[in-house]
Amino acid sequence: MSIGLIHSTESFGCSDGPGIRYIVFLGGCLMRCKYCHNPDTWARPDTFRQESPEKVLQDAMRYRDYWGEKGGITISGGEPLLQPDFLLELLSLAKQQNINTCIDTAGEPFTRNEPFFSTFRKIAEKTDLFMLDIKHIDSAAHRELTGHGNRNILDMARFLAETNHPMWIRHVLVPGITTDETILRKTADFIDSLGTAVKRVEVLPYHTLGVFKWKALGIPYALENVRTPSSEEIKLANSILHTGYRNKA
C-alpha cells in the first residue's frame, strides 16, 4: 500500500472538472512557475500529511451525494504525477466505486521510460479526464517560465491523443509572455493536432490572487509588475485557441 503526501482537500470544487468535485491536492512539484498560485505545494515532504488511498477515498465519499451524475474526484497539486503509485491506487479504488475521476496536471514528470510509463498507462485507464496545463508552446520560453522544458509534456498530450484519453487543455494567459499572437497560433496548431481527444479548451487569465503566499513564504515574486490581461487580449486568445477545437465539435 502506498502512502500519499497530501497538501489539502476541497469538498465542493466547481472549476476542476465536470460537475461538483472533491479535490485532493497532492504535495510536491518540481516546476517553479513564475505565476504559481500554490507555491506552498512546493514544500518539503515533511510538511504534508500522510494518508492512505483508502483514507482519502473514505473522506471523499462523505460528499458523494453532492456530485450528481457528472461530478466526482479530481486529483490535483502540486503535481499528482510525482506520486504515481499512490495515484494509481487511489484511482483504482475510486473506479471500484464507479466514481468519475480526473487528474489536473502540468505533465512535467511524464516520460516513456520505465518504470514510470507502465504505471502511467495504468493510471490513464483509471482516469476519465486529464486536465493538462500547457504553460508555453516554446520549450525555451517554457523553461524560462517554469524552470523546465516542455518536450515531454507535449509528448504526454500526444500519447493521450493517440490512446484516445479525453483531455481538457488549459492555458494561462500572461501579458508579455503568452499573449503573443504568433505563440497563440502555434499553441492552437498543437491543440488541433491532438484531434478529438481534446474535449475542451480553457483560457485562464493571469491573476495575482496567490501573491500573498509567495510573500508569506519569503519567496521573491518575479511577475510583480505584470498586469492582468485585458478583455481584448482574452478575447483574441479565446478566438485563436478555440478555432480548431470548435471545428472538430
Side-chain angles (χ1 to χ4, degrees):
M1 179 182 69
S2 297
I3 296 297
L5 300 177
I6 313 298
H7 173 269
S8 58
T9 60
E10 182 179 335
S11 59
F12 205 81
C14 300
S15 59
D16 294 271
I20 304 300
R21 318 290 300 183
Y22 184 88
I23 309 169
V24 182
F25 296 93
L26 299 189
C29 185
L30 298 179
M31 295 175 74
R32 294 294 182 262
C33 301
K34 290 182 177 180
Y35 52 72
C36 181
H37 59 277
N38 288 321
D40 43 328
T41 64
W42 300 350
R44 302 184 315 273
D46 59 2
T47 66
F48 306 123
R49 70 178 188 266
Q50 300 183 24
E51 292 188 357
S52 68
E54 290 81 2
K55 177 62 165 60
V56 173
L57 183 64
Q58 181 183 25
D59 290 345
M61 291 285 283
R62 293 157 47 201
Y63 302 92
R64 188 168 189 172
D65 289 346
Y66 298 100
W67 299 344
E69 294 183 2
K70 294 183 178 180
I73 295 175
T74 294
I75 300 96
S76 184
E79 174 49 66
L81 293 180
L82 285 176
Q83 302 184 52
D85 294 331
F86 171 81
L87 183 57
L88 177 57
E89 289 186 34
L90 177 57
L91 291 167
S92 298
L93 290 172
K95 296 316 293 180
Q96 289 175 17
Q97 299 295 326
N98 296 314
I99 296 172
N100 181 276
T101 56
C102 174
I103 295 176
D104 183 3
T105 175
E108 187 279 328
F110 180 80
T111 175
R112 300 203 188 211
N113 296 332
E114 299 295 354
F116 179 89
F117 191 50
S118 291
T119 303
F120 180 81
R121 290 173 70 94
K122 294 175 184 177
I123 287 171
E125 292 304 320
K126 303 292 184 181
T127 304
D128 294 303
L129 176 68
F130 283 86
M131 301 175 68
L132 178 60
D133 293 333
I134 296 181
K135 310 290 187 181
H136 203 294
I137 197 64
D138 178 80
S139 191
H142 190 283
R143 185 175 297 278
E144 171 64 24
L145 180 62
T146 72
H148 292 263
N150 70 356
R151 290 185 177 89
N152 63 318
I153 295 169
L154 301 184
D155 188 40
M156 175 178 155
R158 294 188 190 97
F159 170 77
L160 293 175
E162 291 164 4
T163 51
N164 201 31
H165 286 92
M167 285 178 279
W168 287 5
I169 300 295
R170 287 176 151 184
H171 186 61
V172 179
L173 191 67
V174 187
I177 297 177
T178 58
T179 48
D180 179 79
E181 185 171 345
T182 300
I183 293 299
L184 287 169
R185 294 196 182 282
K186 288 181 178 179
T187 305
D189 288 343
F190 177 75
I191 294 172
D192 194 41
S193 75
L194 301 175
T196 56
V198 177
K199 305 302 181 183
R200 182 169 176 173
V201 177
E202 294 184 330
V203 174
L204 307 179
Y206 164 75
H207 62 74
T208 59
L209 298 179
V211 174
F212 75 95
K213 295 182 181 180
W214 291 69
K215 293 181 179 179
L217 292 168
I219 306 173
Y221 188 68
L223 304 185
E224 190 74 49
N225 297 317
V226 175
R227 60 176 174 80
T228 57
S230 66
S231 58
E232 291 78 11
E233 288 170 326
I234 296 171
K235 182 178 180 180
L236 176 64
N238 273 303
S239 67
I240 292 173
L241 295 182
H242 285 89
T243 300
Y245 159 70
R246 285 175 174 162
N247 287 341
K248 295 194 294 287

